[in-house]
Amino acid sequence: MDLMTETSTSTAGPTVDEPSSALVREWTACALVRAATRFLPVPILDDAVALRATRVAVSRTLRAHGRTYPVSAVEPLWTDRRGGLLRRVTAVPRKVLLFPVRKWTRLAGAVTGVPNDISRVLLVGRATHRRLALGELSSPDHRVLTAESGRVREAFETVVDEMDLHLLRGAVSDALDGVKDLSGAVAEYARERFGPEGTERDADSGSTDTPEPAPVTAGADQVEEVLARPEVVRLLAEFDRRMDSRLGRP
């Protein structure tokens, strides 16, 4: 079954077209970058790159659906759910001080954390795609968009917490195990594309000028193969159904 051409298999909610292969590729690249921030050795840069990677995944989805408002209007979809910009700024000194401990913890948890990071970005992209395809997140009022995207994010966190996603995470982990030199290549790609001087400092810029290193391409291919497996397609359909239910869709 081709995930890119088949429609959703969920029978409990409205049917929408699956995301294009190009859009899924963007999510996959951003997801790999998000996971690679565990290996970036610079304080603050790791969090900044992780945030930008998720933001770009959402921004690309908005553009694919013809939305022209800035990605900041739907900030709850991509930002840290524990707080916005002010919280991140005031937390900087503490993050620098605790960076060695934080980094060791993240590296120690990489075996389970990397596939979890990848899965979350893919699901954020998918959730955003579905809401847009159903005509949601379309208000001209940015305050309404922020409130609506906040409700989507709350539903997302609830569904992710409730669902057993071990199948997806395990399949992603197994698929990436055989990709040689992946972590180093993705970390460098992350710096070049999403770092302070990267080509996508601004998620609304539309830039995709940074070429993918061969290991990144191989890793993305493997993740896309996982997404096309019938058992994963069924899992994603269940994710869609639960999101619809949480957001009041019949």
Side-chain angles (χ1 to χ4, degrees):
M1 181 182 294
D2 185 350
L3 181 68
M4 314 313 167
T5 58
E6 292 291 326
T7 57
S8 171
T9 56
S10 174
T11 58
T15 298
V16 302
D17 288 339
E18 287 289 343
S20 68
S21 58
L23 184 55
V24 173
R25 187 66 171 205
E26 284 286 349
W27 297 345
T28 304
C30 291
L32 288 171
V33 167
R34 172 67 183 83
T37 60
R38 290 176 178 272
F39 308 102
L40 292 178
V42 182
I44 309 305
L45 178 61
D46 56 345
D47 286 343
V49 170
L51 193 67
R52 286 173 187 156
T54 309
R55 186 179 66 183
V56 167
V58 171
S59 179
R60 291 292 182 273
T61 310
L62 296 178
R63 301 300 168 258
H65 285 269
R67 303 300 197 270
T68 57
Y69 52 76
V71 70
S72 58
V74 291
E75 182 177 354
L77 294 177
W78 51 266
T79 194
D80 185 341
R81 63 170 168 165
R82 293 166 296 181
L85 178 61
L86 179 60
R87 183 184 181 99
R88 294 196 297 272
V89 169
T90 57
V92 166
R94 181 171 173 270
K95 286 182 176 181
V96 172
L97 180 64
L98 297 178
F99 180 74
V101 176
R102 291 174 55 244
K103 184 55 64 177
W104 182 89
T105 302
R106 296 183 72 181
L107 288 173
V111 172
T112 57
V114 166
N116 181 63
D117 292 343
I118 291 171
S119 298
R120 282 186 65 87
V121 175
L122 294 172
L123 292 174
V124 165
R126 184 176 182 87
T128 304
H129 161 77
R130 187 167 178 84
R131 294 356 291 170
L132 294 169
L134 290 171
E136 300 171 21
L137 299 171
S138 58
S139 173
D141 187 330
H142 288 190
R143 291 171 298 181
V144 173
L145 288 172
T146 300
E148 186 179 358
S149 59
R151 291 190 291 271
V152 174
R153 180 60 180 267
E154 287 298 319
F156 175 86
E157 296 296 347
T158 300
V159 170
V160 168
D161 286 345
E162 289 179 347
M163 285 189 70
D164 183 355
L165 296 172
H166 286 95
L167 172 66
L168 176 59
R169 294 165 182 156
V172 167
S173 180
D174 291 344
L176 295 179
D177 274 348
V179 181
K180 186 178 180 181
D181 301 324
L182 180 61
S183 60
V186 178
E188 182 60 28
Y189 178 68
R191 283 191 292 267
E192 291 180 358
R193 184 173 176 184
F194 298 102
E197 302 301 324
T199 59
E200 296 205 56
R201 297 184 301 278
D202 178 1
D204 294 314
S205 67
S207 172
T208 54
D209 295 335
T210 307
E212 288 183 359
V216 175
T217 298
D221 289 344
Q222 289 297 313
V223 172
E224 289 184 36
E225 187 277 327
V226 165
L227 294 177
R229 295 177 187 176
E231 65 273 22
V232 174
V233 171
R234 289 191 292 271
L235 180 69
L236 295 176
E238 176 63 12
F239 172 78
D240 293 342
R241 186 193 69 77
R242 294 195 186 200
M243 284 292 296
D244 287 349
S245 177
R246 282 284 169 184
L247 292 168
R249 280 278 179 174

